[in-house]
Every structure is written in C-alpha cells, then in structure tokens.
Amino acid sequence: MNELDSKIERTLAYHERTKHHYYRYARAPGYMDWDTQPHPFRFYEGTKSLKLPHIKKDESTPYIQLYERHCNLVREFSLEHISVFLELSMGLSAWKSIPDHKWALRINPSSGNLHPTEAHLILPDMKEEPAGVFHYDPFHHALEKRAEHPQIMWAEIERYFETKGFFIALSSIYWREAWKYGERAFRYCHHDVGHALAALNFSANLQGWKVTYLNALSDEELKAILGFNTVTWKNHEEEYPDLLCFVHSREKSKIPLSFPSKIISCFSDIKFQGMPNSLSSDHVDWDVITDVFKATIKPKTEEKKYEMNETSYLCKELPLSAEQIIRQRRSAVAFDGKTVITKSQFLAMLDKTLPRQQCVPFDVGLSDICVHLLLFVHRVEGVEQGLYFLVRDEKDLNQLKEKFHSQHQWEKINEPLPLYLLKKGDFRNTAASVSCGQDIGGDSSFSLGMIARFDEEIKKAPHNYRTLFWETGMIGQVLYLEAEAHGVRGTGIGCFFDDPVHEILGLNDNSYQSLYHFTIGGAVEDIRLMTHPPYHHLEAIS
Ligand SMILES: Cc1cc2nc3c(=O)[nH]c(=O)nc-3n(C[C@H](O)[C@H](O)[C@H](O)COP(=O)(O)O)c2cc1C
C-alpha cells in the first residue's frame, strides 16, 4: 500500500472506531482521574511576560458589524488593539465557582471546558516591544515572548505580503481532551480549533481587520515558524501545529496564502526560549490519537482561493451590541423544554451559517463548503415540528437526495434560504436519544447535526479530516453568538451516536457523516454556581 492510501485508511479507521454506538461508546477512561487533571493554562516558563491592557467596554458597535466587513473602522496594528483582538477571542469571559472549587470560562468554548487550543502570535516591531514570536497567556492576559526576530526579517515579510499585519497560529494539546474523552478527543480538539478560528475572525473584524488562513503552508513549515522543533516537550504534552493566519487590514483583499521558503528558513535560525509548564503528573497513552495525528499531517499544497455567494443577510438589527454578544456567550447546561422561538428568529440564525463573500467568518479561506445541517425542529412558531435540512452549498443537493431515504419530502420552505422539509413529526425524543441521551437535544427549540461530505474529502487528502471539524466548529461558533443575539442560548454537542443519526437520514455509506451537533433554546441557569468577573483574579496578584 502506498503512503497516501495508508493515511486514508488510518484516518477512516480512526473515524470508525471513535464512533459512539448505543451499545458501545468510543474507548475512554470512563471516569475522571482528578489527580492527573491537566492544568487549564499553558505557560512558557522563563519568558518575558508582556501584560496587555484591558479595554473599556464598547457597547456602541451594532451586532451586524460582527459579520459585515465594510463598516468597522480600520485600527492600526498596535499592542493596544491586538490586546482587544485577543481579549474578545481567546480571553477569559468569567469565572464560575461552587464552595471549594473555581474555574475559568473563556470567550471561545471548548469541549468539557478543557481548552486544548493555544494561540501564538508573530508580531512586527511595536513601540513597546521589538518583533518576535509570542504565546498568548489568557490567565494573565499577557504575551509571553518566546523569540525575537531581526527587523530585516519583518521587512522581508512585509515585502512579500505587500501590506502590514501580523500572524496568529493555533495549536492543540491533545492530552488535555484525551484525559477525559480518550480516543474521541482528536475530534473534539479540532472542533475547538474551528470555534477559536471563528472567534478570532469576529474579533478581528471589529478592529477592521481580516483573518486569512494560509492554506498552502505545511504543518512542518508551521512547526519551524513556531520553533516547536526546538522546544523540550514533556511526554504527551506537546502542542501540535494546526494553522497559521495572516491578520491584515480588511481593505487588502489579495493575500499570498503561503510563505516563501527563504523566510521560513530565517525562522529556523532564531533562538526560542521558555519551558512549557507541566500539565499533568501522569498520562495515559492514547496511541490511536498519535496515529491519526500522523495520518492527517498537512503537507505543502497549492494556494487555493474560494469563491462564495454575495447575498445580503436576512436579519441586520438586534438590540445587543457586538461586544456584549461575544462576552455573554455561554453554553446552556439545561433547557426549559418550553421556550418557543419565532420563525424569523430561526431563519435568521440559520442564515448566518451560510457562507458569503467578504463576510465573517466563512471568508477565512479554509476550504470548499462541505458541511450541511440536519435540523430537528421542536419549538419554532410557524414552522411545523419535524426534520429539516439546510443545504449550505447547493452543489451537493442532488447527491444528498440520492444518498438519503427516497421518502424524504425535500420541500423548500422559505425561498431563498436553501432549507428543506424532509419529514414532519415530533423528533424531541429522537434528538435527545441520539445526543448520547442528553436532554439538551430535545428540550431546546431546535437541535441539529452537522452532516459533512466525508469519504470523498478524506480520499482527496487525509488532512481534510481536520478541516472538516474546523468547519463544524466555525458553524458552532456562529450558532453560539446567534443564539445569544436572539435572546436564547446554545450548546455544542460532541457526544452523539454517529450511525443512529445516519439511519435517520437513510444514509448507509460514508459519503456523508455527522461530525458535530448543536442545540438552541431557552436555558435553565444553574443557580448553585456563583459568577465572577473574568479578570478579578489579577487584582489579587498585581
Ligand atoms: C466541541 C464541543 C463539544 C461539546 N459537547 C458538549 C456535550 O456533548 N454536552 C454538553 O452538555 N456540553 C457540550 N459542550 C459545551 C462545553 O461543555 C462548554 O463549552 C464548556 O463547558 C465551556 O463552557 P462555556 O461554553 O459556557 O464557555 C461542548 C462544547 C464544544 C465546544
């Protein structure tokens, strides 16, 4: 078997063995080993820490400016504005506590609140600090300086990109999720990357900046840029490179999607500092995660631009400000089983998940659109209960019709939205049951499964496995914010029974697979929890 075929086979095998079934969950510890719980924050010990300023709240930017590109003022790339960008994407959103226990929540959500995603920035010379590579430390809202760059290198970068800007990279620590979720953790880490990527896009847009994914770069190149080859990692606690984005003014549209090797080789001459902190005292070796990681390493590829439709949004005006929505985003832990949303709210939320040219976050340049939504409508006034399907890219429509049950109605319910009724009926129990029996699937106003074009994408390139999860995470982030904007609340659902979802559709091959679920409705607050401001802990240590 050649190398590519082996990688495809291993990726598909990983996916298959990490499915949850009614009769068997994917392999996991089955209990929480609190003694080895990973430290929730990564620090690079021994580095210089650059405290970032906290910002005054801005309640004046309207909600629609999260999405549309033409309205936000273009800010300069100063430390002050980079601080705002980070605080509103990867920063802390609150602390929660019960007697004897306190934990941080972040602007970006994460499966089990385990936060495997780390952010690294490559910044040019600024008045406060010379150019270099920095790790974002959300606990202190600070940048840890891991390396300094010669200014000549930045001159070269600016010549190549023909504009000013900076870079942000995401990486994952698989152990953080594997500690709780075992073999399925690789999937969750990549959902989280997608959520973080969307969060960065929204936050950058509020600064008048655009985030462009450098889709031609290889993981090996990114590793060199981040100096990961030179870090002494504790066994099982390595950060694996996910992606690199260029953050630039929204006014500059043509951006190269790679780095010339001449610039990359400059990075390998740089001395990196800092020792990653230890996260756990002991680990379990989930070797299938190492194997799927190796099978899905991204090689260097052609630069690829993606064209999308230019349509206007259904809903542009809502009372909350853009920043308020970002800050108040939370996951519902339970739903009231009665909140009914209106049809226009429902359609407006779905509409925001459609890709559009020059609109956040799907214009980041990730990939072709592969993910569609299977909707379980429970409580939406003016929309009958039932099973619906949102075809996010109608090029797949005919194939979807062929692959699913022939009895599905495929009745378009609201031109111009590509939303189809498949079957009327009460799916509340079904939705809860396929969500690993979690009531949040059925007690909401609606829930959904994200159905991705699968087999074909993995066979084209196994690293697409990761990109598919990123796309679902980005959709999840949009839904989280939309839920808040419409006065309800959302929750990502990584735990679902894979094949039973496919059976509902009548899907009996791997052409499409459900990769992530989501639910939106009227939340029930857990009144036992106390809430504290996001950075109150810094007052005590400053
Ligand atoms: C990828 C992903 C999968 C998740 N899966 C579930 C789930 O199956 N059940 C659940 O109750 N919450 C789930 N959540 C919600 C997380 O537990 C929640 O994001 C985390 O506790 C942080 O809380 P916050 O979202 O309020 O910041 C998921 C979140 C993400 C991002």
Side-chain angles (χ1 to χ4, degrees), residues 65-357:
Q65 287 178 224
L66 282 173
Y67 295 94
E68 289 188 332
R69 288 227 174 265
H70 55 269
C71 20
N72 295 316
L73 205 70
V74 181
R75 307 283 179 182
E76 62 169 313
F77 298 106
S78 65
L79 205 58
E80 188 190 332
H81 295 131
I82 289 172
S83 170
V84 182
F85 162 63
L86 289 168
E87 189 173 328
L88 292 180
S89 53
M90 307 290 289
L92 303 186
S93 57
W95 288 80
K96 294 275 175 187
S97 71
I98 49 173
D100 299 330
H101 190 47
K102 196 169 170 191
W103 62 98
L105 296 178
R106 305 197 196 181
I107 296 286
N108 58 315
S110 164
S111 184
N113 200 30
L114 293 163
H115 289 285
T117 319
E118 297 293 328
H120 296 257
L121 289 92
I122 300 155
L123 300 177
D125 260 352
M126 280 174 298
K127 76 174 185 300
E128 299 83 354
E129 191 64 30
V133 181
F134 301 80
H135 169 248
Y136 177 54
D137 158 12
F139 181 85
H140 295 101
H141 189 50
L143 290 173
E144 297 175 320
K145 189 160 195 182
R146 298 183 47 233
E148 193 148 312
H149 288 159
Q151 180 51 30
I152 176 102
M153 190 169 136
W154 259 99
E156 194 65 48
I157 291 175
E158 277 175 15
R159 222 181 347 267
Y160 180 68
F161 283 90
E162 293 180 343
T163 187
K164 290 196 182 304
F166 64 93
F167 299 90
I168 185 150
L170 297 179
S171 62
S172 295
I173 306 173
Y174 298 138
W175 165 246
R176 278 234 176 89
E177 291 280 332
W179 166 75
K180 179 173 176 189
Y181 296 111
E183 293 191 351
R184 203 168 155 104
F186 185 79
R187 297 177 176 214
Y188 296 160
C189 288
H190 290 290
H191 286 133
D192 285 5
V193 170
H195 278 283
L197 182 59
L200 292 170
N201 273 269
F202 283 120
S203 178
N205 190 38
L206 296 181
Q207 301 300 306
W209 304 339
K210 183 171 187 309
V211 174
T212 297
Y213 167 51
L214 303 187
N215 63 33
L217 206 72
S218 71
D219 286 351
E220 212 37 57
E221 289 172 318
L222 180 52
K223 239 171 134 173
I225 290 170
L226 296 176
F228 281 180
N229 291 323
T230 68
V231 176
T232 312
W233 301 104
K234 185 171 169 183
N235 211 3
H236 299 292
E237 296 187 0
E238 184 169 350
E239 283 177 45
Y240 295 96
D242 292 314
L243 53 88
L244 183 70
C245 295
F246 187 46
V247 186
H248 52 93
S249 156
R250 66 173 156 82
E251 283 152 354
K252 171 88 180 156
S253 57
K254 286 210 177 82
I255 297 291
L257 302 175
S258 192
F259 263 111
S261 40
K262 193 169 119 201
I263 302 182
I264 294 175
S265 62
C266 296
F267 279 91
S268 36
D269 296 337
I270 288 166
K271 191 166 160 19
F272 282 83
Q273 290 146 5
M275 186 70 184
N277 62 333
S278 166
L279 303 179
S280 296
S281 54
D282 201 5
H283 310 83
V284 177
D285 185 5
W286 296 100
D287 54 357
V288 291
I289 293 189
T290 313
D291 191 55
V292 69
F293 154 71
K294 286 185 182 156
T296 56
I297 288 177
K298 183 183 179 300
K300 208 168 161 45
T301 48
E302 299 269 287
E303 297 193 9
K304 216 162 164 211
K305 302 245 186 256
Y306 299 95
E307 295 300 320
M308 290 168 196
N309 292 336
E310 273 189 63
T311 49
S312 127
Y313 287 112
L314 282 181
C315 169
K316 292 194 172 208
E317 278 173 38
L318 284 172
L320 291 177
S321 73
E323 194 178 309
Q324 177 63 34
I325 292 168
I326 288 182
R327 286 186 189 277
Q328 73 171 50
R329 182 213 64 76
R330 298 282 184 282
S331 295
V333 287
F335 291 98
D336 59 15
K338 52 180 193 243
T339 296
V340 177
I341 58 166
T342 64
K343 180 176 179 179
S344 59
Q345 287 178 314
F346 174 64
L347 298 180
M349 292 185 216
L350 296 185
D351 179 55
K352 290 291 190 312
T353 70
L354 297 177
R356 289 170 162 94
Q357 204 68 23

Side-chain angles (χ1 to χ4, degrees), residues 1 5-21 24 26-27 183-184 186-187 288-289 291-293 295-296 454-455 458-459 462 465 498 510 513:
M1 191 185 290
D5 287 344
S6 154
K7 287 181 175 175
I8 294 169
E9 192 179 288
R10 280 149 57 209
T11 306
L12 294 174
Y14 170 81
H15 185 68
E16 210 49 46
R17 74 179 276 160
T18 54
K19 284 181 173 174
H20 286 327
H21 299 273
R24 175 180 62 75
R27 273 189 68 216
E183 293 191 351
R184 203 168 155 104
F186 185 79
R187 297 177 176 214
V288 291
I289 293 189
D291 191 55
V292 69
F293 154 71
T296 56
F454 191 72
D455 215 25
I458 308 301
K459 286 179 179 158
Y465 189 58
D498 302 63
N510 269 348
Q513 292 283 281

